[in-house]
Amino acid sequence: MIKGVIENDSSEGIHIINKTVNLFTITNKEGVFFIEATIGDIVVISSVQYNLKVIVVNKDMYDNKEFNVTLKENLNELDEVIVGVQLSGNLNTDIKDIKTEELFSPEDVGIPVYDGVQMEEIVPMHKAIMFYGIGFRLDIEATYKNLSGYYKTLKTTRKLDKENNSLEAIQDFYGKQFLSTVYNLPEEKIYDFLLLCIQTSDIQYEFGKENHNVVLKIFSDKRKEFVVNKQ
């Protein structure tokens, strides 16, 4: 077990991955992490706010069981910066200083409000036609949608939407730079690669359960398969 310390001021929640043995951890509030590693292992440090860092564990790091790292900040230049009201830290004072001509909405104060379209219920055929003794009740609309293939198309669309949402979540968590560097993927092929992982493995489930070591194993296995498919 090797201890690492990220020396940057903002260093909590940075992804630390031992690519060689597919182990994953994150830094704590002090920027400290612990990970199993031996000489020659490749350790990747990935974060949204910092540039990707790749470290090869050497003898000194292994013998000392500790190493420090300073990351280079990932700066995105802005065309324009608008400075608003300066906050004092006193809530009552700051609220009085806020000038607005519009009423607050629930979203303005952090209250979640559902304003989307209610998801349509898919009624299976056995519920569209309900038998009661010698009679039955027929849901004409549901029966038509079953027979016409409407519900089948709707299920497929929802499945694709779910896959796409999962793909974006996985991509955002690990980052394009990490996926491209560690798995030698052109950025334009990352979407196809993640889609292959989603459609041919349990990566959605494992990612949802935060089983990152399993996710990284899936990445490694599917990377080989992806190369074969693309040749």
Side-chain angles (χ1 to χ4, degrees):
M1 185 75 70
I2 293 181
K3 174 185 177 182
V5 180
I6 306 297
E7 297 185 327
N8 300 72
D9 291 336
S10 178
S11 55
E12 181 181 4
I14 294 175
H15 305 155
I16 312 297
I17 299 147
N18 185 333
K19 178 189 172 186
T20 305
V21 292
N22 287 328
L23 293 177
F24 173 90
T25 188
I26 60 175
T27 56
N28 62 18
K29 292 181 179 180
E30 287 73 40
V32 176
F33 64 90
F34 295 88
I35 195 165
E36 292 285 352
T38 188
I39 297 174
D41 282 1
I42 298 174
V43 176
V44 179
I45 302 174
S46 176
S47 172
V48 174
Q49 67 265 40
Y50 299 112
N51 290 339
L52 191 77
K53 181 90 172 180
V54 179
I55 296 173
V56 179
V57 178
N58 57 35
K59 188 176 185 301
D60 288 340
M61 294 163 61
Y62 182 76
D63 290 342
N64 294 329
K65 300 299 181 185
E66 182 174 345
F67 65 94
N68 295 357
V69 179
T70 300
L71 302 178
K72 183 177 180 181
E73 190 171 359
N74 183 12
L75 297 175
N76 292 318
E77 294 185 0
L78 301 177
D79 294 332
E80 183 178 2
V81 176
I82 300 175
V83 179
V85 177
Q86 297 297 313
L87 300 180
S88 67
N90 184 307
L91 182 60
N92 292 327
T93 302
D94 292 338
I95 289 177
K96 290 178 182 179
D97 289 340
I98 295 175
K99 296 178 175 62
T100 177
E101 297 178 357
E102 298 181 0
L103 295 176
F104 283 109
S105 67
E107 295 93 333
D108 293 330
V109 293
I111 301 175
V113 176
Y114 178 74
D115 59 358
V117 179
Q118 184 69 33
M119 183 174 289
E120 179 181 355
E121 179 186 3
I122 296 177
V123 182
M125 183 61 83
H126 72 274
K127 289 187 177 181
I129 305 176
M130 300 291 292
F131 290 91
Y132 301 96
I134 60 174
F136 67 92
R137 180 184 66 81
L138 175 65
D139 185 331
I140 297 176
E141 181 179 4
T143 301
Y144 169 76
K145 288 182 176 180
N146 273 289
L147 295 175
S148 66
Y150 172 83
Y151 280 149
K152 182 178 180 180
T153 302
L154 184 58
K155 287 179 182 178
T156 301
T157 300
R158 288 180 181 174
K159 179 176 181 292
L160 293 175
D161 287 342
K162 183 178 179 181
E163 288 180 351
N164 191 55
N165 290 337
S166 295
L167 188 153
E168 290 180 357
I170 293 171
Q171 179 176 272
D172 289 344
F173 183 84
Y174 291 102
K176 282 187 176 182
Q177 189 180 19
F178 167 75
L179 294 168
S180 177
T181 303
V182 174
Y183 298 99
N184 193 26
L185 289 165
E187 283 203 9
E188 67 272 13
K189 295 296 183 182
I190 290 176
Y191 180 93
D192 293 338
F193 172 68
L194 292 179
L195 190 60
L196 170 70
C197 293
I198 287 173
Q199 293 180 343
T200 60
S201 74
D202 294 327
I203 194 171
Q204 288 173 281
Y205 173 81
E206 301 295 351
F207 179 76
K209 292 294 184 180
E210 298 186 358
N211 295 329
H212 298 292
N213 289 341
V214 179
V215 172
L216 295 175
K217 178 67 165 56
I218 292 173
F219 282 159
S220 295
D221 293 343
K222 293 301 175 181
R223 180 63 180 92
K224 301 169 186 176
E225 185 177 335
F226 186 74
V227 171
V228 172
N229 288 343
K230 296 301 176 183
Q231 285 181 344

